[in-house]
């Protein structure tokens, strides 16, 4: 019963963590979108976006990530057999990718604070594409956890499907960004 409760908490805080990460990078995009605004409007919005990013990071994303990680570690200790399964090693590999993405987000939050309303140096399209990285990691982790051994057995089909998904999402991001530029 304890394992199931910890697993439920792990899933709940995983959802909260990803919600925070998804919205955080969206705030970076919105901040960058203000580049073309009048100075007064730009200053007000950038101050607000910086405030929102810091609050989201400190109040939702990091606490949810910590609780998610602690629950995951407890589940490993309660079921050490997980460490002997190839699919779980694959999940841990994807979580290393998530940790790198988390670090990138943290550096961007700090950068926004230090900019004091100045321009963010990352290109808008790069921020929009970076916004999809968490989605890709979420797909990888969830499919790995749900399919378990089938991920290992059908790895090439899953990789092919994943790359198709990545290409479609990236093309959509570029198309949306192109349409946005054409409307201006």
């Amino acid at each position: 019963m304890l394992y199931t409760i910890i697993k439920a908490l792990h899933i709940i805080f995983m959802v909260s963590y990803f919600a925070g990460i998804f919205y955080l990078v969206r705030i970076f995009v919105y901040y960058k979108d203000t580049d073309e605004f009048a100075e007064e409007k730009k200053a007000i919005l950038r101050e607000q976006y910086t405030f929102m990013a810091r609050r989201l990071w400190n109040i939702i994303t990091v606490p949810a990530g910590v609780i998610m990680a602690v629950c995951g570690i407890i589940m490993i200790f309660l079921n050490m057999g997980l460490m002997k399964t190839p699919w779980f090693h694959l999940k841990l590999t994807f979580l290393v990718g998530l940790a790198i993405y988390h670090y990138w987000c943290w550096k961007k939050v700090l950068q926004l604070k230090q900019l004091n309303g100045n321009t963010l140096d990352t290109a808008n399209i790069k921020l929009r594409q970076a916004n999809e990285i968490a989605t890709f990691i979420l797909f990888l982790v969830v499919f790995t956890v749900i399919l378990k051994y089938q991920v290992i057995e059908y790895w090439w089909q899953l990789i092919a499907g994943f790359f198709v998904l990545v290409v479609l999402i990236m093309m959509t991001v570029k198309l949306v960004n192109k349409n946005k530029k054409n409307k201006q």
Side-chain angles (χ1 to χ4, degrees):
M1 175 89 165
L2 176 63
Y3 185 85
T4 307
I5 291 169
I6 299 298
K7 189 176 187 178
L9 290 171
H10 180 69
I11 293 168
I12 289 165
F13 285 100
M14 183 266 309
V15 170
S16 298
Y17 174 78
F18 272 95
I21 284 288
F22 289 149
Y23 190 52
L24 181 69
V25 182
R26 214 55 230 158
I27 291 172
F28 301 156
V29 171
Y30 296 153
Y31 186 99
K32 185 65 178 175
D33 283 346
T34 64
D35 283 355
E36 306 302 320
F37 291 4
E39 287 303 317
E40 185 178 347
K41 183 177 181 181
K42 182 189 309 185
I44 292 168
L45 286 172
R46 286 182 174 179
E47 182 179 340
Q48 183 64 31
Y49 291 144
T50 301
F51 173 77
M52 290 168 63
R54 289 177 49 223
R55 295 288 297 260
L56 178 61
W57 183 256
N58 292 324
I59 296 173
I60 296 172
T61 309
V62 170
V66 168
I67 296 169
M68 172 187 70
V70 167
C71 289
I73 291 167
I74 291 170
M75 288 188 333
I76 292 170
F77 281 109
L78 292 175
N79 182 6
M80 290 300 285
L82 288 171
M83 294 305 290
K84 297 176 184 172
T85 60
W87 69 265
F88 192 73
H89 292 171
L90 187 59
K91 176 188 175 185
L92 292 176
T93 301
F94 297 144
L95 294 180
V96 168
L98 181 60
I100 293 166
Y101 185 70
H102 179 93
Y103 177 77
W104 178 84
C105 288
W106 174 58
K107 296 304 272 183
K108 283 291 179 204
V109 169
L110 293 177
Q111 184 182 11
L112 281 188
K113 182 180 176 185
Q114 294 168 350
L115 285 174
N116 292 321
N118 291 320
T119 301
L120 186 61
D121 61 353
T122 309
N124 192 297
I125 188 72
K126 296 295 182 198
L127 290 170
R128 289 175 185 276
Q129 290 171 333
N131 193 46
E132 304 307 327
I133 293 172
T135 304
F136 301 143
I137 293 171
L138 182 62
F139 266 87
L140 292 168
V141 170
V142 169
F143 271 87
T144 301
V145 171
I146 299 298
L147 296 175
K148 293 182 176 44
Y149 292 101
Q150 293 170 330
V151 166
I152 305 302
E153 186 177 345
Y154 299 105
W155 65 270
W156 70 270
Q157 293 98 326
L158 291 167
I159 288 175
F162 178 73
F163 279 115
V164 167
L165 175 72
V166 167
V167 168
L168 287 173
I169 289 175
M170 289 302 175
M171 287 174 49
T172 302
V173 167
K174 284 192 175 216
L175 183 64
V176 167
N177 208 41
K178 182 179 178 183
N179 286 342
K180 183 182 167 218
K181 284 182 183 177
N182 289 340
K183 288 182 181 179
Q184 291 177 349

